[in-house]
Amino acid sequence: MNPIILSVSVMLILALLRVNVVVALTFSALIGGLVGGLSLSDTISAFEGGLGGGATIALSYAMLGAFAVAISKSGVTDLLAHNVIKRINGKDNLHAATGVKYLLLCLILLITISSQNVVPVHIAFIPILIPPLIQVFNKLKLDRRLIACVLTFGLVTPYMILPVGFGGIFLNNILLKNLHDNNLDVVANQVPLAMALPALGMVTGLLIAVFISYRKPRTYADIDNAEMQATNETPTFNKRHIHISIVAIIAALSVQLATGSMIVGALVGFMVFTFGGVIAWKETQDVFTRGVHMMAMIGFIMISAAGFAAVMKATGGVETLVQTLSTTIGDNKPLAALLMLIVGLLVTMGIGSSFSTIPILATIYVPLALAFGFSPMATIALVGTAAALGDAGSPASDSTLGPTSGLNADGQHEHVWETVVPTFLHYNLPLIAFGWIAAMVL
């Protein structure tokens, strides 16, 4: 069996059985390496050699966790949650509460989309914004699987269609460049147009999640809120700490945009809290430890995913898989498009990053697509969609790990079954359908 298919299948099965994702990634990487013809020592060497690729994002998550804990300590997040809950409590009927629910979903969606282009901080805002809103979600009985779908939509769809921010990197710096490198004669303005139909698949999945799959109320335990109501106490806030937190957030975002580093941005924000007196010097160790504890699992998953990707590349399984398909499909163009998309899904779910997948797929897919008679626009759609597939729905993707980091702040949101599976069903399946349509009609 092809090592890509086997290793990704093993990883997904173990994850669905609730085996720790780090264990699932490591074990499936070893299996894939051995099946792919590598010796045990070569497999281990490739895996360990790739671990460093995930170190930067892991440290970024750790620093963001510490920054998020510092923000919560300032009281600004409690103030935000308290004000929203007051508005909800003032609603006398179901229709008014429903209005608040959909307004909140729209605001989260707009903020998430903006994090990809207007203020390109990517997932850095999630551990800051989402945890303080958990009481609000509980009050509205919002299904957190719906919030996960909204967040993942906002993290993925903008880079598929909007050539600014992270979309500029995906569409122009990576996708267009790799198409040119493989002798496909296309221009920049064709790329977003070719990706419009696949992006419509993402919109379809979001609408299904909002209005069909997760529209029913879901109840979560809310111990802190229950205690507040039982004592009838109104929380008190230190205005000076609130002002310092605003300065810290602005400083962190500004530095991140200026340096391009989430690590440095979060560090500056954390130091503003420290020098501002929100966090005592003797408390910095405890605050940082709490932040690392909150984000450590995500960091280890990203590190393991980098090792997994290195082993998959070392086996040459992608090239072998595509060559096998190209020789067995014959002249069946619709089947070729479908299988190319499915292979892209498998590759991206294993690697965990659509940005990292394009250089692998474009080298193989461009000549294959042209050989089957696909137009340049259809080829763009095939390569772009095949790369984006799996970003939503991969246990190792930051598009799923980011939402889980915020929604699981109180331990009531499981990564695989409540983020990965919902986003896979609502986005990957429509993406395959609409990507296939794009390949056929363009």
Side-chain angles (χ1 to χ4, degrees), residues 272-351:
V272 170
F273 278 117
T274 304
F275 283 107
V278 176
I279 302 172
W281 288 97
K282 63 181 180 180
E283 295 178 338
T284 55
Q285 177 69 29
D286 178 60
V287 171
F288 190 83
T289 301
R290 287 166 57 195
V292 171
H293 181 266
M294 181 173 69
M295 307 296 282
M297 182 52 63
I298 293 175
F300 280 115
I301 291 173
M302 297 303 291
I303 291 173
S304 303
F308 180 93
V311 174
M312 294 305 98
K313 292 176 183 176
T315 64
V318 179
E319 293 85 351
T320 304
L321 179 59
V322 175
Q323 289 171 2
T324 302
L325 292 178
S326 64
T327 56
T328 56
I329 292 171
D331 295 325
N332 193 329
K333 189 175 177 181
L335 180 61
L338 179 62
L339 292 178
M340 289 166 74
L341 291 171
I342 292 174
V343 169
L345 171 65
L346 291 171
V347 173
T348 310
M349 288 197 73
I351 294 177

Side-chain angles (χ1 to χ4, degrees), residues 328-416:
T328 56
I329 292 171
D331 295 325
N332 193 329
K333 189 175 177 181
L335 180 61
L338 179 62
L339 292 178
M340 289 166 74
L341 291 171
I342 292 174
V343 169
L345 171 65
L346 291 171
V347 173
T348 310
M349 288 197 73
I351 294 177
S353 170
S354 56
F355 287 66
S356 302
T357 304
I358 285 181
I360 301 172
L361 294 181
T363 304
I364 309 166
Y365 275 24
V366 171
L368 184 62
L370 294 178
F372 273 102
F374 289 103
S375 69
M377 289 285 282
T379 303
I380 297 171
L382 276 172
V383 177
T385 306
L389 271 165
D391 202 356
S394 169
S397 169
D398 51 10
S399 298
T400 58
L401 289 166
T404 298
S405 71
L407 294 169
N408 194 41
D410 63 350
Q412 296 188 78
H413 185 86
E414 204 270 332
H415 177 56
V416 173

Side-chain angles (χ1 to χ4, degrees), residues 44-203:
I44 294 172
S45 178
F47 183 80
E48 292 179 345
L51 294 180
T56 300
I57 191 66
L59 182 56
S60 299
Y61 270 108
M63 291 301 303
L64 284 173
F67 185 47
V69 172
I71 290 177
S72 66
K73 194 173 179 63
S74 72
V76 66
T77 54
D78 294 330
L79 178 62
L80 172 65
H82 178 69
N83 286 334
V84 176
I85 289 173
K86 276 177 60 179
R87 292 180 179 273
I88 298 170
N89 287 337
K91 303 301 179 184
D92 297 325
N93 57 70
L94 179 62
H95 294 293
T98 302
V100 173
K101 167 186 169 180
Y102 286 111
L103 176 61
L104 183 60
L105 290 175
C106 288
L107 289 174
I108 292 173
L109 179 60
L110 289 174
I111 291 171
T112 310
I113 292 174
S114 299
S115 73
Q116 305 304 297
N117 37 63
V118 179
V119 186
V121 295
H122 195 36
I123 56 172
F125 76 98
I126 294 178
I128 298 170
L129 175 69
I130 298 302
L133 291 176
I134 282 181
Q135 281 192 12
V136 179
F137 300 154
N138 292 350
K139 187 75 176 178
L140 291 169
K141 295 186 177 180
L142 267 173
D143 194 322
R144 294 188 199 177
R145 293 172 295 180
L146 171 57
I147 307 297
C149 287
V150 170
L151 289 169
T152 299
F153 175 90
L155 292 172
V156 174
T157 310
Y159 75 66
M160 293 177 57
I161 191 72
L162 301 175
V164 290
F166 288 102
I169 297 172
F170 180 83
L171 295 172
N172 296 327
N173 297 358
I174 300 180
L175 180 54
L176 182 63
K177 178 183 180 299
N178 279 274
L179 292 173
H180 283 165
D181 290 346
N182 290 280
N183 302 313
L184 186 69
D185 186 20
V186 291
V187 295
N189 61 6
Q190 289 180 289
V191 180
L193 292 175
M195 294 298 292
L197 262 176
L200 186 60
M202 295 290 292
V203 175

